[in-house]
Amino acid sequence: MRTATQRHRTQRDRAFRAITGAAALAMLLSGGAVAQAAQPATAYPASKPDITALLGEFNNWWTPKKVVNNTANGDAFRGSVTDAGRSVLGYSDDTVVAINNHAAKDTTKVDGTYTQAQRAAFDASDSPANAITSYSTALGDTIGKYLREGLSDGSLPKTNALVFDASSPVATSGFVGTGSAKKDFNYPRPYFTKADQGMDRTIGGDTDLNGLKPELDIIHIPMFSQDGEEFGEDYTDYQEPSQAFPSGHTTKAYNRGIALSTLLPELGPEIMARASEAGNNRVVLGVHYPMDVMGGRIAATAGSSALWSDAGFRTNELLPAHNELENYIAARCKADGNGSTVEECVTKLGANADKGYVNTFTDVVSTKPVTDRSSAIEAYTSRMTYGFAQTSAAGQAPKVPAGAEDLLLTAFPDLNAAQRKQVLEASEIDSGYPLDASSQGFERLNLAKAYSADVTLSADGKTILAINFGNAAPKVTKVSSTDAITNLLKDFNRYFVAGVGVTDEGKGVLSHDDKLTESINQAAFGADGKTAQDKRALSDAQMNSTNTLYDALGPVLGTYFKQAADSGKLPKTEQYLEDMNKSASTGKAKAWYQHPRPYVDRVNYNGTTLDMNGTAQTLNIKKVPGYENFDWGDGEPLDNEYDGLYNSGSFPSGHTTFAFTQGTGLASILPELGPQIMTRVSEAGNNRIVLGVHYPLDILGGHIAGQYGVANALNDDSMRKENAAARTELVNYLTAQCKADGHGDTLQSCIDATGANDANGYANAFTDEVSTKPVTDLKSALAAYQARMSYGFDKTGTAGQAPVVPDAAVNLLDNVEAFKALSANQKKQVIAATEGESGYPLDATSEGWARVNLTAAYSAKVTLSADGKNVVKVEPGQKVASVVREKTPVQPGGNGNNNNQPTKPGKNGAGANGSGTPQAANGELASTGASVSAAVVAVAVLALMGSAAMIASRRRQD
């Protein structure tokens, strides 16, 4: 039988079969160290962390006998289990048996070559050669091969000295040991039995287990032989005492894992997951309890933090080794055509996905195979607590030990120490698990998760706006407000500031936002979240524009449209709508505004602590079951979209933006049914509130973004040609189908015959606090759309402002047959006459887009002066848009309405009697235009004006 000294010495073994040839043999014969330059003997740093103190909570469950004589016949393994320890240590007993027994009996080749027990046996040998092979598996096949070859041929001397060569004076694996702590805690190993060791865990009655089992059902996993070398454990710790708590092998494994992750942070999550497997393999072999492994992780993390925080160590050892490995891997990747940077190479090779660290074994703690980065982080996280119940207070404020932020130095070089600390705070697990109370926060640090952080900084780099995890590489992004859509929505910053919270001015606005969100969501939910409106919301959530838009055309034309689109008979229309989708993106705006979703913890959000200024921390949202198990319709597994959107900012709504790019795009080529189409997409936006994932302000933001995108896309000549081709295709197809079915020889006659533009067109019975009546005809469609333009908010800006019409908005009216006789300036006057009231939230910075009411514009009867030069009246709410001329010329001093004197504007910007065209002395528009209500379609109020005056007015509002 080998002695403990023999088992723990540096073995002259070969690494699996991955290292072969003369260079590998030379390395192994030199104790696993490649030839390297002489290393300095400087000690870093002067003081080491007190491991016993960091793990002191263990004394709550176990009272050790002081070790004076560390022998089997002396004081070793003696002590007593406390009353509090019966449940905690009893759970530890049950877990080591479950993991050990499962692995001992499992013959599955977890990596295609070795069983889990065999991998555990290899990890038991902590020689440099084995460590190289074990950790290279965390990097994927190609980058792992680069690492092995670089270490073997001497290309990576600094990396080898820091991570793998245990004899190096700067080796991180030897900085903090557990020998002293083991004797301080003096806890017996789990496998002691009278049959094998001649002694069970009571140590002949000297140890009081307080009702715990004297012997556990640990299966001794046989030594594993390969190429004449033995790997594994011979279970002799009783004869030459090495106590269980904490695990020394685990400490070394994590020391190496943290060091290698620091040198190659692009694969930090995978490396840390591999380190957690090495620790878990001590439980697999039955030589350690889960608590021992947790203690080893804490010890290694504390030691690494101390080393990384030493300025001399960082400057002389850590950063040079990081540069060496990064440059070497980048050069190898570039030479092989795998990218010019490590990050590019990692992504191209899939080393941070399904071609990196993977294995198939599972156990009672890590219940899913590791197949990609997400599952690697999940496995790591599960082994941080091993399923223990919390033994101290949960929900404590985040706690990051001093110096721990330096563990992220290389992953986030653009962040300062306080910001790196914030990343650790955001990624840490909950407080209160065993050993947390004494660990100063080291128990909570989730490095695998932290290495996957995507950090969003303010433009000046001073403030973290959000931290999201699961990213393909550690990433820092500074947001910019120069994005056009972000700028259009800047009014939102009056109400909410990213990374800070709700402003005083915003408290009332966002309180209304919250109230409506709860009201709309709960009213639609019904008894079970399976109402017709919920189903419609789920359909719209798939972002299939055909399914969303077809019923806007009514039963007859809608059926034609859907059948043609589904069968590929409208390729030009499909391409046009696809291009319209590209016209507006909310990604940059979401990054800038970073507003939390309604159903999340809105105070502790994405690594920030927000001041909600008296608004609720989390809204009372009813989650729709179909969105918790959501089918995208693409044959992929169901998703929980609430989980998927948890860390994604709410403002503005991307789904709503998509709906409005599709709806505005379709309305632009089928303006005959523009009012119905636009009302349908306003419903699609509202359905995001129905699902409880957005607020009304998010919908208003998406509304603005979508219309802006399409209108500006049509400034491009090639896009205008595409628009024309799509209209020709769609109109011709619909007309042919109508003619074949006897509905008329033209599209308009078919629309009239089928009632698609009124009572037999778009309809739905959904009502809520905002849209209070069902949509049954054109009038109610206009009312529903108008209601969703303001969502009942109080005005936050000035009412009654002069009209503001974006130049590009006229592009959206180009296909209205009747309006082709109008000039661009006259079309602007139509939009001005039909626009919504000024002063509502988001209006101030929207450049007029918040006011544009396309349902009213597409349904307008426009009256021109007799000479056709001036717009004198606009009457929305018509089934067919039209343009007519006055019969008599406008007389000097008159307004074109039978020579009546101008009517003075009322307080809402319309004439006192809701009609007429008030005219200012200078000829500019004197009001904001008419407001279309649910009951009455008011007549827009216009004055004669030239295009130069209109542009000047708009600029004053920018």
Side-chain angles (χ1 to χ4, degrees), residues 67-77 183 186 239-243:
V67 175
V68 177
N69 177 11
N70 192 36
T71 65
N73 296 323
D75 306 312
F77 311 121
K183 287 190 287 186
N186 204 21
Q239 296 299 326
E240 294 191 16
S242 174
Q243 287 84 350

Side-chain angles (χ1 to χ4, degrees), residues 790-813:
S790 68
Y791 271 95
F793 283 96
D794 290 334
K795 292 183 176 67
T796 57
T798 304
Q801 298 175 45
V804 177
V805 179
D807 292 336
V810 299
N811 295 335
L812 302 176
L813 303 187

Side-chain angles (χ1 to χ4, degrees), residues 34 48 124 151 199 228 483 593 644 730 732-733 765 949:
V34 297
K48 297 183 179 182
L151 291 167
M199 193 67 65
D483 169 62
Y593 294 108
L730 181 58
N732 287 346
Y733 181 85

Side-chain angles (χ1 to χ4, degrees), residues 533 536 762-768 771-776:
Q533 189 173 7
R536 180 97 129 187
Y762 167 64
N764 71 57
F766 311 142
T767 61
D768 52 44
S771 182
T772 58
K773 295 181 180 179
V775 174
T776 57

